[in-house]
Structure formats: C-alpha cells, structure tokens
Amino acid sequence: MTNAPRTERGSSAHTAPEVADALLSVRDLRVHFPVRGRLGGPREFVRAVDGVDLDVPRGRTLGLVGESGCGKTTAGRAALQLLRPTTGSVTFDGRELTGLWRRRFGSDRWGPELRELRQRMQMIFQDPYASLNPRMTVEGLIGEPLVTFRRAQGRALRARVQALMERVGMDPRYVRRYPHEFSGGQRQRIGIARALALEPDLIVCDEPISALDVSIQAQILNLLGKLQADLGLSYLFIAHDLAAVQHLSDRIAVMYLGRVVEEGQARMICHKPQHPYTRALISAVPIPDPAVERTRRRLPLVGDVPSPIRPPPGCTFHTRCPDAQERCRTEAPALRARADGRRIACHLVE
C-alpha cells in the first residue's frame, strides 16, 4: 500500500498505558486508502483508521463500538494483518507483525513467519451468508484450515470436524450438507467452528450477530462466552450494539471517525460515559422498561459524520458536539489516561 503522509491529529501512542498481560497490542495504527483526486491536484486518502491504540488482554474481551463507517472493522482487519497498515505497530504475543510482510510479484504478501502466526489469529465474519463458499460442504469449510496447515487428513479430519461441530452446538451428521441448507444462525456457528479449527489464541469477531434474529443473537453471544471460558480465548469484539458488547466485554473502546475517543471498563463506559459521543450512543440504546424509557433524556446527534478524506481540524467530533468550544475547533485532544482507569480524548472532560 502506498504510504499516506503522516499528520498530527492528536496521536496518543505516548499516553497509552502498557498492559502487562496483553496478547494483542496496537499502537498508533493508521490505515489510509488512496483515492483519485481532481486532475492535477494532490493525491487524497481516506483516513479509515487514523491513530488507534488498543490492548486485548489474554483470556479477555475488548469491545470495539461506533457508528457504521467509523473504521472499527478496518482496525480489526489491520490488527490481524488481513490489511497491511499504512503506519503503526501491531504486536501479537510479543512479536511485531507489521515487519513480517514481503514484497513479491509486485504486491505485498505474508512472509513465512506471519503465515505461521496466522494459525493463532482467526476471524469470525459479519455476514454468515457471504463468508461461506456455497460450493463447499460443511466438512470442507471447517476442515480447510486443517488441510492447509497439514493438521489432519482422512478419517482424522472427519473426526476433528465433527468434534468442532459438536462444540458449537451443531449435529455432526450434517458434515456433508451445503451452506444453503442452514439458517443464518447455523451458518454463523459453522463460521465459529472454522475459526476454532486451528486452536487459536485470538479471535476477532467482526459484528458476528448483526445479521441474525434477536433470539439467535443471544444464543451466539452465550456460545462465544462459553468458548472463551472453556478455551481461554481472547476476543476483539466489534459491534455497534452496545448492549451486546457490554454482555461479552471486559473493556470497551469507542471509535469515531477513525480514532478511539473513550476506552475503559465495560460497566463504567455503559453506566457512566464521559465523552459526549459515548453519551449519545448510550442514550440511543433502548431500555426494556416502559416507565424508565418514557423518562429518559435522549441526546440526539445533529448533522452528518464528516468525510474521512477531509476530517475537520481540531477534535473531529466538534461539528456534532452540543458542548463544543473554540479550543475544540482548533486543537485535537489526546487520548489521556485517568485515575479511574479509562482513557478519554476530550477537552471538556479535562
């Protein structure tokens, strides 16, 4: 990827606290996609991720939330090196991943070390319909990683696939069926079984319940929680449903226009949000109590999300913030750690 010019937008790498037991650490991550500018004009870039710091502790879950288009999926893919970051550092179990790419045949490709580490990092995709090859059986879909990395073959492969299906709550007799013969929830279970095939340490869950019915969402969340308890998995759980994120996450990071604006303990973020954007997100979550719902004060966001090609100067949220001051329009706030363990990028909170 062509490197985009670096800009000073309140990078927080120097303020991010180090997490001793972090399995995955992301520092100042940036993913900029080049776009064609006007004829004769300077080249422009979509700043999908523009300076993100994250830590996923071992055996824990970090929730990553925000509006559609805020860059959370791109951040997850770049953390797994499915996308090559423009700049920044991604460390997995003490190994720096961004330097393991190789230039071959005119394009960037995984080096042999990164390919081996791929076994320990997996992903559950958002769309259970598009993420499964319709021409492959369940046995082929779940067993493909085992064949690729020469973990099993023949009868051992069939037995391993059946065991994975049982673990995710599916009948192992369905190994010869095709994806179109299953419901959306069953397809997502197949995707989860495929992610578990190589016994990974880290799984990035990219909105795994957004395409499912509400009743099925609870089942998938409970399954992910049970798998984490049984196998000691670490999750980066990406979603826009704050209620689901709170159910599964130990900590929550809130993203807006490519940057993290608030991060802290899940209960703290959901019950005592500090950043104006987080407060607006929380106020939009419905409460299943009519009496409480009628008396709630909503904080609607006015205006549209700015363009990630030309983000506004200063705090990127100031164009929609009801409490914005002059300083917010000119100076980008750094993501600073507070005594209560959370990090916030907001001049008003300071």
Side-chain angles (χ1 to χ4, degrees):
M1 178 184 296
T2 303
N3 286 345
R6 295 196 55 166
T7 57
E8 295 184 3
R9 300 196 55 81
S11 173
S12 57
H14 63 287
T15 62
E18 296 295 332
V19 177
D21 62 342
L23 178 64
L24 176 73
S25 293
V26 174
R27 292 291 178 269
D28 198 23
L29 182 68
R30 299 173 189 267
V31 182
H32 295 174
F33 298 104
V35 295
R36 182 177 298 176
R38 291 176 296 180
L39 186 63
R43 196 174 193 186
E44 296 181 317
F45 295 85
V46 174
R47 304 173 188 273
V49 179
D50 203 23
V52 165
D53 297 336
L54 297 172
D55 287 294
V56 182
R58 298 177 188 272
R60 302 288 184 176
T61 301
L62 174 67
L64 189 59
V65 302
E67 293 175 286
S68 296
C70 70
K72 53 188 184 296
T73 293
T74 303
R77 288 174 177 263
L80 287 186
Q81 304 300 296
L82 296 179
L83 291 173
R84 185 169 189 178
T86 304
T87 60
S89 170
V90 179
T91 305
F92 175 76
D93 199 15
R95 297 286 302 277
E96 175 61 50
L97 302 183
T98 56
L100 300 181
W101 289 75
R102 297 292 182 267
R103 189 77 175 176
R104 295 184 59 192
F105 307 114
S107 62
D108 295 324
R109 298 175 182 270
W110 296 338
E113 295 178 346
L114 184 55
R115 186 177 183 276
E116 288 302 312
L117 285 174
R118 172 65 49 208
Q119 301 176 66
R120 301 177 58 194
M121 304 179 293
Q122 294 296 316
M123 190 166 189
I124 300 171
F125 295 94
Q126 176 178 358
D127 190 348
Y129 295 90
S131 61
L132 301 180
N133 189 335
R135 297 185 177 183
M136 297 179 67
T137 64
V138 173
E139 182 177 6
L141 291 165
I142 299 176
E144 185 176 23
L146 297 168
V147 173
T148 300
F149 287 94
R150 300 179 181 179
R151 293 284 195 91
Q153 59 182 350
R155 293 182 178 179
L157 177 64
R158 171 70 62 85
R160 176 62 177 156
V161 170
Q162 291 178 332
L164 287 167
M165 292 183 69
E166 288 183 336
R167 180 171 284 278
V168 299
M170 293 193 66
D171 193 328
R173 294 176 299 175
Y174 296 162
V175 291
R176 294 185 179 275
R177 294 191 178 184
Y178 290 86
H180 73 270
E181 300 179 73
F182 297 96
S183 65
Q186 290 174 320
R187 293 187 189 203
Q188 197 60 288
R189 290 175 186 270
I190 295 172
I192 295 172
R194 179 176 59 182
L196 294 173
L198 296 175
E199 301 175 341
D201 299 311
L202 171 71
I203 296 181
V204 174
C205 307
D206 182 16
E207 302 199 37
I209 62 173
S210 63
L212 307 177
D213 295 337
V214 175
S215 60
I216 306 301
Q217 290 180 3
Q219 296 177 18
I220 297 299
L221 286 176
N222 291 334
L223 172 62
L224 291 174
K226 185 177 186 302
L227 291 173
Q228 184 177 50
D230 293 344
L231 304 176
L233 298 170
S234 300
Y235 290 146
L236 177 59
F237 189 81
I238 300 170
H240 58 262
D241 186 342
L242 277 167
V245 172
Q246 181 186 6
H247 176 76
L248 193 64
S249 302
D250 299 285
R251 296 182 69 87
I252 293 177
V254 182
M255 282 190 68
Y256 181 78
L257 205 63
R259 300 185 63 208
V260 174
V261 296
E262 186 170 3
E263 188 260 342
Q265 293 292 335
R267 192 172 189 82
M268 187 184 300
I269 294 294
C270 292
H271 293 280
K272 293 182 179 179
Q274 296 293 313
H275 195 281
Y277 178 63
T278 309
R279 294 203 303 265
L281 289 182
I282 297 296
S283 72
V285 177
I287 295 178
D289 186 336
V292 176
E293 188 68 20
R294 281 194 298 267
T295 60
R296 291 180 69 201
R297 180 193 172 197
R298 296 201 175 272
L299 302 172
L301 293 177
V302 180
D304 297 325
V305 179
S307 169
I309 299 178
R310 301 181 190 88
C315 175
T316 54
F317 185 62
H318 83 261
T319 59
R320 306 173 73 192
C321 180
D323 303 320
Q325 301 175 357
E326 186 59 33
R327 182 186 180 189
C328 303
R329 298 178 176 88
T330 58
E331 182 183 344
L335 189 65
R336 301 187 185 279
R338 290 170 47 117
D340 59 4
R342 80 170 88 200
R343 295 185 296 152
I344 306 175
C346 183
H347 296 310
L348 303 176
V349 176
E350 292 177 7

